[in-house]
Amino acid sequence: MRSLAAKNRELALLYDSAAFLQTPLPIEWLCQGFIERLSVYFKADAASVRMLDPVRGNLHMVAHSGLSEELVAGEQCLKVGECLCGEAVERREAAVHFLKRIEGGQQLRCQREGFATVSVFHIEAREQHIGFFNLQFRTERAFTAHEHALLGTLGHLLGFAIENQRLNARAREMAVSEERNLVAQGLHDSIAQGLNFLNLQAQMLESSINAGRLDEAAALVPALRSGVKESYEDVRELLHNFRNRLAEESLVEALRATALKFEHNTGIAVDFKADQDGAPITREQQLQILFVAQEALSNVRKHAMATRVDFIIEDGKAFTMTIRDNGAGFDPSVNSGGGHVGLVIMAERAARIGAAFAVRSGKGEGTALSIVLKHPARRIA
């Protein structure tokens, strides 16, 4: 029977290891902290962790303690099946080797290093073999069945921690890729129509010059200059909005920052009102709502000739965003069917997340844009 003190020590190791492995640290640091805890508990003279590259069949050392620089350099990368540790990987069984009892053991680096016992325990998660860890001793050290079970449990704890870190890394990579795609899409949506206009004007300018109609060519220059300025403003606005979006964690705060920056850059007063009582929504939905807001404010800057914007967020069972200006307005029937590119872009973004998009306007009456994400389409984040 194990003593109460031994049981308490074991529980303390499990609790401390589990708590440590939940911290958001690089995999190398997790592995280093892991073997340091095991070395203290089992009084090991050295320890290491190796990760398996199943594609190449390599075992890479990612953490170690108590090993000489020569041994680390010589065994930084092993092949599956190579040496005692590589053989244990092929069998996927824990192993404890007493080096002095092995024929030809003196040829092994570990014995030349002065170790008498090398143990190999596996790191696994969700039935996937991730790698293994070693505990090395300068005297012969056997492990009880209970210690084998304990080390197996610890190997699984480390395996799940490594797998979680890998999943988090993949999620970050996907987020970066998504951000890049959204920037590219935003550039296309904001700049494409301006560049098409400039291209057409440049062709007309070239034709006028070739035909010797210099007065006609001179008349085209102001339009070209205005188009270049407008495209420059679009790019600057897009980049400013993108930085705001990256810096904010909350959708409402990101919308507030966008509204304040619009007010600062244009001098158009913005009355921003928002409640935040609704449940959270997915990141994709948040991003598309933010892009609709940015496109709507961009349209106000370009076309509305407004002096005031009301920006209203109603976040209850449904999420509703309304952006209303007191500008010149327009006849929606004239701009239907894709004539107004900005409206088409906003409608497409709303459709991607299952939201309703509406425009209310009239000449001299200002314009109100709204996007409504109703409860059935609202996916909890």
Side-chain angles (χ1 to χ4, degrees), residues 211-233:
R213 298 190 296 271
L214 298 184
D215 290 345
E216 185 179 293
L220 291 168
V221 171
L224 278 166
R225 184 179 293 113
S226 175
V228 170
K229 181 182 177 183
E230 186 66 40
S231 293
Y232 172 77
E233 290 294 329

Side-chain angles (χ1 to χ4, degrees), residues 41-43 96 98 116-117 137 139-144 147:
Y41 183 90
F42 288 99
K43 297 181 173 62
V96 179
F98 302 112
T117 305
F137 304 84
T139 58
E140 290 197 351
R141 168 65 157 91
F143 291 85
T144 65
E147 287 176 326

Side-chain angles (χ1 to χ4, degrees), residues 332-345:
S333 64
V334 175
N335 288 279
S336 62
H340 198 299
V341 178
L343 295 178
V344 174
I345 291 169

